[in-house]
Amino acid sequence: MKKKYLSILFLAFSLTMQAQNTPVYLDETKPLEERVEDALKRMTLDEKIAIIHAQSKFSAPGVKRLGIPDLWTDDGPHGVRPDVLWDEWEQAGQTNDSCVAFPALTCLAATWNPEMSLIYGKSLGEEARYRNKNVMLGPGVNIYRTPLNGRNFEYMGEDPYLASKMVVPYIQGLQSQGVAACVKHYALNNDEEYRHQVNVIVSDRALHEIYLPAFKAAVEQGKAWSIMGAYNLYKNQHNCHNAILLNKILKTDWKFDGAVISDWGGTHNTMEAITNGLDLEFGSWTNGLTMGASNAYDNYYLALPYRKLINEGKVGTKELDEKVRRVLRLHFRTTMDFSHHNRGSLCSEEHYATANKVATEGIVLLQNKNNVLPINPAAKRILVVGENAVKMMTVGGGSSSLKVQREVSPLDGLRKALAGKMQVDYARGYVGDVSGNYNGVTTGQNLDDKRSPEELIAEAVAKAKDADYVVFFGGLNKSDYQDCEGHDRKEYALPYGQDKVVEALAAVNKNVVYVNISGNCVAMPWKDKVSAILQGWFLGSEAGNGLASVLTGDVNPSGKLPFTWYAKLNDVGAHALNTYPGTWRENEKVIDEEYKEGIYVGYRWTEKKKIKPLFAFGHGLSYTTFKFGKATVNNAVMASDGEITVSVDVTNTGNKAGAEVVQLYVADKKASVDRPLKELKGFKKVFLQPGETKSVSITINKDALSFYDEATQSWKAEDGDFEALVGNSSDNISSKVAFKLK
C-alpha cells in the first residue's frame, strides 16, 4: 500500500513538472549528464565565469537565477573547521561551529582497517552536512617521503598500496552523506617549507608507482567528486594548472569527471589555468592567504581576466564550458542532490565513539619490555610527565586546526580511568609552546611556567623515584616548524630538551613509559633505557580516553606503523642522497628538488641499503601473542588474466583478545628492471579470542606483480618466479611461498 501511495505521489509530481515545463536540470530522475547540459545551455557568459571561481574565502557562487545555490567548502580532513568571515581569515564568531575532532589521518592509516575509514568518512560527512558544507577539503594522500615534512600528520603514510586501500572507503563514507571529498594535494606535495617554489624532478616510474596510486584509487575506486591541485610545480608547471598531471593523467587516463579545485593561492596564470585542467579557482589574490585587496575575487585568474580574453576573441569558450560542466556535476552531486533529506548531526555521541574507536585502533605499541604494559592493577602511584599530557592539540597545525566542543587531555583521561584505583600525580618536565591559539581559535589554557629546565627536571625526577610507573607524554606539537602546515621541521630530534628529561627519568625509575604525540617519527637515542614506547598520534577529541584505554589494558593495542621509523635522519633516502630540500635556481625563485631515490621510499629504501630502522613499516605489538601458520597458495601458476589466493592460519596464543594484521608482500625474483626486495600488496586485520584460530585469505592478480614501464608508458608484468611473503611487519616475515606468472 505504501509503495502504491508513493508511486501515485511521484506520478503527480512528474505531471506537475511537465505541466510547468520545469527545466531538466531540476529533475533528479533525469541522467546526470542530461541535467548538466540543460543547465549549461541556460547560463550566460557572466554566470559561467562566476561559477568557476570563489566569491568568498570558502564559497563559490551558484546561479541564483536558475536556483542553483552557492557551493560551500571547508577545511579539515579531521573535522569541520570553524567558520571565518566572508572576506577575512578572522573568526566569524559563531557559537554553533564547534565539532568533533577525529584522529589525524596518520592514526587512521595506522589502524590498517578500511572499515574504520568508512565510518570515519561517514561521521565527518554527517558533521559537514549539519554545517551546510558541500565540499570537505580532504583527505590527504601525499606520500611520507621525509619525516621533516610538517604536514605528514594529515596524510596516510609512506606506502602507496596502504594509502590507496585506506582512502577509498573514507571517500565513500563522506560522499554517502552528499558531501564531496576533495582529495589533496595532487601531486608530489611532499614537503612544506618551499611548497610554492619547489619544482619536483621525478622519474615517470616513481611518479606512477609511488606518488600517484592513492590518487588513482581515489578517482577510479572511490569515485571522488573533486581533487585539489598542489602548490608545487612538476615539469616547471604549477600543479593547479599542469598539463600532464591534470589533462593527461587525471582526466584522460583515469577518466576523472569531477572538478579540479585549486589550493588557496595555487593559481598563477590565466592562460595555463584555461588550458591545463583547472576548473574552480580559490584564494588567488594575491597569495590567497594574507595579502591582497578585499573582495578581489573578480580579479582572479579565472574571473574578469578570462572573460576579457573571450570578449577580445583571444580564446574561445570550449574550455570554459568544460569547466562549467565539471562544476555543475559537483553541484548536482551536492547542493542540488535532493535525495539527501537528512540534515546530518553535529557532536553526537556516535561521532565521539567513532573518534575513540579510530584512536584506540590506531595507537601503536612500539616497545614493551618485560610486558610492563598494560599498567599493573597492583600499582599504587603513577607519575605523568610532559607538556603534551595537558596541551590541547586540536588547535594549530594549519588549515586542519579545529574548534572542538571538547578535548580530553592524556592526563585527564588517565585520572578518569584510574580514579579510585591509584594515585595519578603530574610534573611538567619541560616547557614547549605555551601559546594556544590559531586563526582566532583559542584553547583557553594557561601553560606559562617560568621555572628553568633544571628545576623542571629536578621536580620530575624527585617524584619519579617513588612512582610505580612514569608515563612521559612528549613528542611534537602543532606549532610552526613541528607538525604544522607551511613549514617543515628543522631537526629530527625531539624539541624543548625532552631527551634530557627522558634520560633523567629512566635513571631513577625502571618503569618509564614514553608516549609520543606526533604525526611523525622522531629520534630516540634513549630507546633502550625506557621500558615501553607508545605512538600516540594526534587523536582529537577523545585523545585522553583513547590513550588511557590502551595504557590500562581496557583496549588491546592493534595499530601498525604506516611509515618506517628511522634511527637517524641520514637513514632516509631523500636525506642520504642530499636531495631535500633541493637547489635554488640561479637568479630565479624556483627550487629544483630531484627525487634521486626514485621508487625507493621508506622500507623499500632501508631494505635495499640494508639499514636497520628503529621500528619497521607495519610494526606494532599487542598485549597478546599470535602465531602464523605456513602460507599456501591455491595455484602455483597465475595466468595473466587470472589471480591467486594466499592463505595463512593465525592463532591467538596469548590470554587476551586482540587483533593482528596479516601483511602480504610480493617479491619479483627476476625482472628486467630494478625492483624492491618486496612490496606490500595485501593486508587484512583479524580479531581473535584467546586460543582462537582463523584462516586469512588475500587474493591478488597481475596488478600486484606489475611495474610501470617507462618505455611504453604503461604497467607491465613479466613472466617468471615470484614469492608471496606473509608476516606482521615488513621486517618480520614468518612464511614464504613461491608461485609463477605465466
Side-chain angles (χ1 to χ4, degrees), residues 383-435:
L383 174 65
V384 173
V385 181
E387 182 175 283
N388 281 2
V390 296
K391 183 177 176 66
M392 285 183 65
M393 293 295 184
T394 54
V395 175
S399 60
S400 63
S401 180
L402 300 171
K403 184 170 86 175
V404 295
Q405 184 187 52
R406 68 175 189 248
E407 178 181 346
V408 181
S409 72
L411 178 60
D412 286 345
L414 263 182
R415 281 178 169 164
K416 177 184 175 183
L418 297 174
K421 301 175 184 177
M422 57 190 78
Q423 178 187 354
V424 179
D425 198 3
Y426 176 68
R428 182 66 175 267
Y430 70 94
V431 176
D433 182 0
V434 299
S435 66

Side-chain angles (χ1 to χ4, degrees), residues 24-36:
V24 169
Y25 71 87
L26 286 176
D27 185 355
E28 282 197 289
T29 65
K30 297 294 185 181
L32 175 63
E33 294 308 309
E34 191 174 331
R35 297 177 68 200
V36 167

Side-chain angles (χ1 to χ4, degrees), residues 326-591:
R326 291 175 178 274
V327 175
L328 284 172
R329 286 191 197 109
L330 187 57
H331 273 281
F332 290 140
R333 289 163 170 166
T334 58
T335 68
M336 298 287 287
D337 180 3
F338 307 119
S339 66
H340 286 90
H341 299 294
N342 64 304
R343 292 184 53 82
S345 56
L346 188 68
C347 298
S348 69
E349 289 308 308
E350 289 82 3
H351 294 169
Y352 282 109
T354 295
N356 187 277
K357 179 64 173 172
V358 173
T360 54
E361 273 208 38
I363 292 169
V364 184
L365 180 60
L366 296 172
Q367 178 173 295
N368 195 21
K369 293 180 182 177
N370 302 316
N371 295 319
V372 68
L373 288 179
I375 292 172
N376 191 325
K380 293 182 172 58
R381 183 167 174 269
I382 308 295
L383 174 65
V384 173
V385 181
E387 182 175 283
N388 281 2
V390 296
K391 183 177 176 66
M392 285 183 65
M393 293 295 184
T394 54
V395 175
S399 60
S400 63
S401 180
L402 300 171
K403 184 170 86 175
V404 295
Q405 184 187 52
R406 68 175 189 248
E407 178 181 346
V408 181
S409 72
L411 178 60
D412 286 345
L414 263 182
R415 281 178 169 164
K416 177 184 175 183
L418 297 174
K421 301 175 184 177
M422 57 190 78
Q423 178 187 354
V424 179
D425 198 3
Y426 176 68
R428 182 66 175 267
Y430 70 94
V431 176
D433 182 0
V434 299
S435 66
N437 64 81
Y438 184 84
N439 192 213
V441 177
T442 60
T443 64
Q445 292 183 302
N446 182 3
L447 297 178
D448 284 338
D449 197 316
K450 303 303 182 184
R451 289 176 290 174
S452 69
E454 291 74 22
E455 289 175 305
L456 293 167
I457 292 175
E459 178 200 35
V461 167
K463 291 183 175 182
K465 290 178 180 178
D466 300 323
D468 296 307
Y469 281 85
V470 176
V471 184
F472 183 95
F473 289 93
L476 308 177
N477 56 39
K478 290 188 175 179
S479 302
D480 283 347
Y481 301 103
Q482 294 205 48
D483 278 328
C484 185
E485 178 186 357
H487 295 289
D488 288 342
R489 296 165 63 192
K490 292 184 176 181
E491 59 182 358
Y492 190 45
L494 285 171
Y496 313 126
Q498 292 178 67
D499 288 339
K500 290 183 179 179
V501 187
V502 177
E503 295 268 7
L505 294 171
V508 298
N509 193 301
K510 65 178 182 178
N511 290 335
V512 173
V513 177
Y514 174 77
V515 182
N516 191 67
I517 306 298
S518 77
N520 265 309
C521 53
V522 298
M524 293 182 174
W526 35 258
K527 170 182 175 289
D528 294 333
K529 297 179 182 179
V530 301
S531 293
I533 301 174
L534 207 67
Q535 174 57 18
W537 310 113
F538 296 117
L539 297 180
S541 292
E542 287 290 295
N545 292 333
L547 287 163
S549 296
V550 171
L551 288 166
T552 60
D554 286 344
V555 171
N556 192 348
S558 62
K560 301 284 186 177
L561 284 179
F563 53 70
T564 302
W565 198 297
Y566 306 94
K568 58 183 184 299
L569 195 57
N570 208 45
D571 290 345
V572 184
H575 296 275
L577 297 175
N578 200 29
T579 67
Y580 167 91
T583 305
W584 287 100
R585 292 182 190 173
E586 190 173 354
N587 301 321
E588 290 189 53
K589 295 181 180 180
V590 176
I591 183 169

Side-chain angles (χ1 to χ4, degrees), residues 226-364:
S226 62
I227 294 284
M228 181 186 288
Y231 282 132
N232 54 285
L233 299 89
Y234 168 65
K235 291 190 182 294
N236 299 305
Q237 282 186 343
H238 281 93
N239 287 359
C240 285
H241 34 77
N242 189 290
I244 295 175
L245 290 178
L246 299 181
N247 286 343
K248 182 185 183 303
I249 296 175
L250 179 65
K251 294 182 174 181
T252 302
D253 296 348
W254 299 348
K255 305 294 189 283
F256 175 65
D257 71 350
V260 173
I261 299 176
S262 74
D263 203 341
W264 271 231
T267 313
H268 299 268
N269 181 285
T270 295
M271 283 303 300
E272 286 192 6
I274 292 171
T275 59
N276 291 352
L278 178 63
D279 300 310
L280 182 52
E281 179 187 1
F282 272 90
S284 297
W285 187 266
T286 54
N287 68 1
L289 300 174
T290 58
M291 299 183 296
S294 295
N295 285 305
Y297 305 101
D298 283 342
N299 295 320
Y300 277 19
Y301 295 99
L302 288 182
L304 292 181
Y306 192 2
R307 191 182 70 176
K308 184 173 183 289
L309 290 174
I310 292 174
N311 289 338
E312 292 174 349
K314 294 180 179 178
V315 298
T317 58
K318 177 183 177 183
E319 293 89 352
L320 175 62
D321 285 349
E322 179 57 22
K323 297 177 193 300
V324 175
R325 284 188 183 95
R326 291 175 178 274
V327 175
L328 284 172
R329 286 191 197 109
L330 187 57
H331 273 281
F332 290 140
R333 289 163 170 166
T334 58
T335 68
M336 298 287 287
D337 180 3
F338 307 119
S339 66
H340 286 90
H341 299 294
N342 64 304
R343 292 184 53 82
S345 56
L346 188 68
C347 298
S348 69
E349 289 308 308
E350 289 82 3
H351 294 169
Y352 282 109
T354 295
N356 187 277
K357 179 64 173 172
V358 173
T360 54
E361 273 208 38
I363 292 169
V364 184

